[in-house]
Amino acid sequence: MPALHHHDPVFVLEFGDDENRFSPEWLTSVHTMLDTVCEHDGPSALVTTGLGKFYSNGLDLAWLSANAERTQQYVGEVHALLGRMLTLPVPTVAAVNGHAFGAGAMLAMAHDFRVMRTDRGFFCFPEADINIPFTPGMAALIQGKLTPAAAVASMTTGRRFGGPEAVELGLVDAVAPADDLVDVATARVRELAGKDRGTLGAIKSTMFTAAVAALEMPTS
Amino acid sequence: MPALHHHDPVFVLEFGDDENRFSPEWLTSVHTMLDTVCEHDGPSALVTTGLGKFYSNGLDLAWLSANAERTQQYVGEVHALLGRMLTLPVPTVAAVNGHAFGAGAMLAMAHDFRVMRTDRGFFCFPEADINIPFTPGMAALIQGKLTPAAAVASMTTGRRFGGPEAVELGLVDAVAPADDLVDVATARVRELAGKDRGTLGAIKSTMFTAAVAALEMPTS
Amino acid sequence: MPALHHHDPVFVLEFGDDENRFSPEWLTSVHTMLDTVCEHDGPSALVTTGLGKFYSNGLDLAWLSANAERTQQYVGEVHALLGRMLTLPVPTVAAVNGHAFGAGAMLAMAHDFRVMRTDRGFFCFPEADINIPFTPGMAALIQGKLTPAAAVASMTTGRRFGGPEAVELGLVDAVAPADDLVDVATARVRELAGKDRGTLGAIKSTMFTAAVAALEMPTS
């Protein structure tokens, strides 16, 4: 389960040491930790990462198959987390330590910046292969962060991108060796931790108005 | 006139050996061949190309000047082809063998990917020079596939881009020698031919909702 | 105060030799010169630049603090200049000779192209640091000209970009030594000066419909 560490002024949110899928408990835990980061009295910035082979594999398909009647509500909750991260009023960076698949990759995209481990792990939107089209909100989020060519190359192919390919396409901003990953990610946001939260939140909300609106649409 | 070849699982649609302008008969023929590609029982992907000096020069201005009273309907039909290609439920790549001008260049942009002959031919939106502004649908299609800088550089200048310049600006994804062009284009989509068509069509329709809506607006 | 020079077919609009902030008189003067450029009988293109250390520092905060009750009207007038430059019916290029901050940087973004002095001056959106969030119109203008990654890197950080960094991120199209700056900028638009103004204005208006609409929204 998630854990939150404070290396003032940066908070490091570890998603866990397994596939870090979005179970209802996991979502609640992450939201609570984001509350801590955003309500901190003093400069604050966020790094998220996983432990081991996975950043996050996204939707909790096992839970979903056991709770099919709650699919709509669940997708709405995933949308809510993506929209919250997209407009979080502190600087955010994903330290992609391993596989980031589907909604896990989308959560990384919702951060301001992304740094990926150089030598292992794949960044992948498998939707075209698992026959789950993107919701309008998920598509608007991803397309709001990528060039059109990168969106087509990643969203219509199901292709898996290693770190060097991901940085070349612009899926991530940089790569770093595994041992330095969190430090390199931290360096991206440490100097930004003092921004006024009302201002930064308003800037991100204005920049991503369309994606936020699409993420807030009722899911069907 | 167009011809369709099948190198299972890839279909190669040859637009013809002249300027390959969009006459009403040409449009009907291409739609029929797209039906074949999309209704094929088994994996399917599409490469389009021309023979000789031209990929396509776009609008059939000779036909239009003889049928001026049908301009609105004709533009609507061109929009329909562009919208159909933009959301075609199979992987698509344009093998730009020679000049792609105006609506011919737009048709190339509507594909998922573009590979252009290295040494000859120009990719060009001449609208700023021939005093035919882009329709909102055409602009939305082009801008939906390019970075803003590439859209300004190509749409406001009438500039002609050779292969190397086109790939540098991102108008096309890659260049290849003429003899290898169709093979290189084919390699981009062959492995993708097995995607579920309902899923892939839904993904593209969601990604390009705004451009599709603009292309479906009545023309005036 | 601004001055307009004519090196047929190119007009060079010098914003002034101080910080070139947008005082009401400055705005009126610039609009009058844009009238001259757009009404010129013959081919016409526009280069804008400053003299000395500044391209423009944007909003006239001194005037604003003395006229706080006119803030809404003033912001509306700044929006009007940005929208006019964004869709000006002649080719436009900003020769960024020195600091371009805030609305000064936005005015540069509203041009078709930007060339920046190599060795001095910063391109910067300080909004995240001065606690003035972008208006929806300003954000739509900037995002309409940048890749998503460049928009996040410049709009959420307050970071100052020198010429080489600005060109790497795509904030500007090229850099040039100070002595060659206006010549290099001029070379970008001289060959384009003969475009039909009705066509070019229509193309830009269609391309940037969303940003223009956002800039025309009442400010609150």
Side-chain angles (χ1 to χ4, degrees), chain B residues 127 129 131 143 148 152 156-157, chain C residues 112 144 146 195-196 199 207:
Chain B
E127 279 70 9
D129 286 323
N131 299 340
Q143 292 179 278
V152 169
T156 71
T157 64
Chain C
D112 298 338
L146 295 178
K195 304 291 182 203
D196 177 75
T199 303
M207 290 180 72

Side-chain angles (χ1 to χ4, degrees), chain B residues 3-120:
Chain B
L4 187 66
H5 305 279
H6 193 198
H7 308 293
D8 195 14
V10 177
F11 288 89
V12 178
L13 198 170
E14 289 176 355
F15 286 153
D17 58 6
D18 56 10
E19 293 189 27
N20 307 325
R21 288 182 181 270
F22 301 172
S23 70
E25 295 73 23
W26 189 94
L27 288 169
T28 299
S29 174
V30 166
H31 274 298
T32 300
M33 290 169 181
L34 295 181
D35 291 343
T36 299
V37 172
C38 295
E39 293 165 7
H40 177 65
D41 187 17
S44 173
L46 176 67
V47 176
T48 66
T49 195
L51 297 171
K53 291 173 60 178
F54 299 93
Y55 176 75
S56 169
N57 267 354
L59 300 188
D60 189 339
L61 300 177
W63 183 90
L64 253 185
S65 67
N67 297 272
E69 78 286 358
R70 291 169 62 185
T71 299
Q72 273 189 243
Q73 181 193 335
Y74 174 74
V75 173
E77 287 169 8
V78 171
H79 278 186
L81 177 63
L82 296 174
R84 186 179 186 189
M85 188 64 78
L86 184 60
T87 58
L88 208 74
V90 302
T92 57
V93 58
V96 183
N97 59 294
H99 300 312
F101 272 62
M106 292 174 206
L107 184 56
M109 295 304 312
H111 291 65
D112 299 338
F113 307 105
R114 285 152 295 290
V115 181
M116 187 169 169
R117 179 175 170 173
T118 308
D119 61 334
R120 291 252 187 117

Side-chain angles (χ1 to χ4, degrees), chain A residues 56-129:
Chain A
S56 170
N57 267 354
L59 300 187
D60 189 340
L61 299 177
W63 183 90
L64 253 184
S65 69
N67 296 271
E69 77 287 357
R70 291 168 63 185
T71 299
Q72 274 189 242
Q73 181 193 335
Y74 175 74
V75 173
E77 288 169 8
V78 171
H79 278 186
L81 177 63
L82 296 174
R84 186 179 186 189
M85 188 63 79
L86 184 61
T87 58
L88 208 74
V90 302
T92 56
V93 58
V96 182
N97 59 294
H99 300 312
F101 272 62
M106 292 174 206
L107 183 56
M109 295 304 311
H111 291 65
D112 299 338
F113 307 104
R114 284 152 296 290
V115 181
M116 187 169 169
R117 178 174 171 175
T118 308
D119 62 334
R120 292 252 188 117
F122 290 116
F123 199 103
C124 176
F125 298 117
E127 279 72 8
D129 286 324

Side-chain angles (χ1 to χ4, degrees), chain A residues 106 125 127-128 132-136 138-139 142 154-156, chain B residues 203 206:
Chain A
M106 292 174 206
F125 298 117
E127 279 72 8
I132 304 179
F134 301 95
T135 63
M138 291 170 169
I142 302 168
S154 61
M155 295 172 72
T156 71
Chain B
I203 288 175
T206 299

Side-chain angles (χ1 to χ4, degrees), chain C residues 191-210:
Chain C
E191 300 300 315
L192 305 173
K195 304 291 182 203
D196 177 75
R197 281 172 215 163
T199 303
L200 188 56
I203 287 174
K204 293 191 200 175
S205 294
T206 299
M207 290 180 72
F208 299 112
T209 300

